[in-house]
Amino acid sequence: MELGIIGLGKMGGNMAERLRAAGHKVVGFDFNAEAVKRLTDVGSVGVSSLEDLVKNLSAPRAIWIMVPSGDPVDQTIAKLKPLMQKGDTFIDGGNSNYKDSQRRHAALTAEGFHFVDVGTSGGVWGLKEGYSMMIGGDKEPVERLTPIFEALAPAKDKGWGHVGPAGAGHFVKMVHNGIEYGMMQAYAEGFSIMKAKEPLDLDLAQISEIWRYGSVVRSWLLDLTAEALKKNPTLDGLEAYVADSGEGRWTVFEAIDLNVSAPVITESLIRRIRSREQNNFTDRMLAIQRNAFGGHAVKKD
């Protein structure tokens, strides 16, 4: 089967390689010429324009878009539409907001195109382990694209599924990432408690390895944590700054809209935001209040 991929960064490039290894034709485009060269070096088709991307695919075409969420997705679709034909499929495999995916589906289907939203998890490990894919959209294009999903997944019948109508794939991926925030925060807090118990002189790398086998808290996330601690047990050279790509925020907003209590995910998001604040004003306000009502000492720069 043929697939066009726009965006040949680490994840898009790995997806292209996994598809090629499974015998599928991949045509890839990226503004980075080196990324295109890496694709051609392994036997796939790398092109330097969207026009060439479309020309190298047979109808009905399927093009997988791997660009940042928001306006870049809309711009990419707008540039592709004049080059494509009715019956072609746009696939958004990035971390888009599910409401944007619903809007794009409605607009594109009205013009005779198909739109499929694929919440994709697996990161840089997807080439080796396979990708977990949560797919939203109409039945016909999803079924037609099944060979692609089977090749990208950990197994033909594992790690992927058509979860619902347009937007459902990105909605489920949004919640997936919100859960991920909570899991990461719990591991971080637990290891911090153990590090603070200095009289026990605990080896955090050793403990993470113990927990990986037979423990109730074992997970792939713990596997990655253990590997990181093995390489850098004291986290030397790292700044306490944690970014977020949006999905955690959207999960919290959705929970509020649905009147669903989600304190763990919400607090995990707040902790990430707090990690970016230098000379935190909130904490300084707390210090000055304690000084005002109780005469407690205030530390100064």
Side-chain angles (χ1 to χ4, degrees):
M1 190 171 183
E2 298 180 350
L3 183 73
I5 297 180
I6 297 174
L8 299 171
K10 190 66 174 178
M11 192 164 177
N14 284 349
M15 292 173 68
E17 173 59 17
R18 192 171 174 92
L19 287 169
R20 187 199 64 80
H24 297 285
K25 176 184 176 181
V26 178
V27 182
F29 166 77
D30 196 286
F31 289 110
N32 185 330
E34 184 59 33
V36 175
K37 183 178 182 301
R38 285 196 297 269
L39 189 69
T40 57
D41 285 347
V42 296
S44 292
V45 181
V47 297
S48 58
S49 70
L50 295 180
E51 289 81 2
D52 286 340
L53 178 79
V54 174
K55 287 177 182 177
N56 276 277
L57 294 169
S58 304
R61 302 170 186 82
I63 297 181
W64 191 300
I65 300 169
M66 290 294 285
V67 302
S69 64
D71 191 53
V73 178
D74 287 321
Q75 288 187 21
T76 301
I77 291 173
K79 291 175 182 177
L80 278 174
K81 276 199 304 182
L83 308 173
M84 296 175 71
Q85 301 174 358
K86 290 183 178 180
D88 290 349
T89 301
F90 296 82
I91 308 164
D92 183 0
N95 284 322
S96 291
N97 188 297
Y98 80 95
K99 294 178 181 178
D100 287 338
S101 296
Q102 291 175 328
R103 168 178 58 80
R104 290 166 185 143
H105 173 270
L108 287 167
T109 53
E111 298 180 60
F113 299 107
H114 297 293
F115 179 86
V116 175
D117 55 289
V118 183
T120 311
S121 181
V124 297
W125 293 88
L127 176 60
K128 177 183 177 183
E129 304 287 342
Y131 295 92
S132 172
M133 291 168 292
M134 299 135 266
I135 301 161
D138 300 327
K139 183 178 180 181
E140 190 274 326
V142 172
E143 288 186 346
R144 181 158 45 84
L145 291 165
T146 291
I148 296 295
F149 300 135
E150 290 178 341
L152 290 173
K156 284 189 174 183
D157 58 347
K158 288 182 175 65
W160 75 278
H162 186 191
V163 298
H170 281 148
F171 182 87
V172 174
K173 178 57 162 52
M174 174 192 76
V175 176
H176 164 284
N177 281 29
I179 293 170
E180 178 185 291
Y181 279 34
M183 292 174 66
M184 291 173 69
Q185 185 67 29
Y187 281 129
E189 291 177 8
F191 280 97
S192 293
I193 293 168
M194 290 188 289
K195 185 178 186 302
K197 194 65 174 177
E198 294 179 357
L200 296 183
D201 192 26
L202 299 172
D203 184 336
L204 302 187
Q206 177 203 29
I207 292 166
S208 66
E209 280 294 327
I210 292 170
W211 285 358
R212 288 182 62 202
Y213 303 97
S215 164
V216 172
V217 298
R218 66 187 184 274
S219 70
W220 184 51
L221 182 57
L222 181 61
D223 294 343
L224 299 177
T225 302
E227 187 64 28
L229 285 171
K230 188 185 303 181
K231 294 177 180 177
N232 189 358
T234 58
L235 308 186
D236 291 338
L238 297 177
E239 185 179 351
Y241 183 103
V242 187
D244 75 277
S245 54
E247 295 87 350
R249 295 175 185 240
W250 301 337
T251 305
V252 171
F253 298 156
E254 199 68 30
I256 293 170
D257 288 343
L258 295 169
N259 287 320
V260 173
S261 175
V264 173
I265 295 173
T266 303
E267 178 59 21
S268 299
L269 172 65
I270 298 302
R271 290 296 302 175
R272 289 194 178 202
I273 295 172
R274 183 176 178 136
S275 76
R276 304 164 212 163
E277 298 180 12
Q278 294 185 348
N279 199 13
N280 184 283
F281 188 81
T282 303
D283 290 347
R284 285 187 286 149
M285 281 292 298
L286 290 172
I288 202 67
Q289 289 176 72
R290 291 185 77 245
N291 176 261
F293 70 70
H296 302 288
V298 177
K299 291 186 177 182
K300 297 184 178 181
D301 293 337

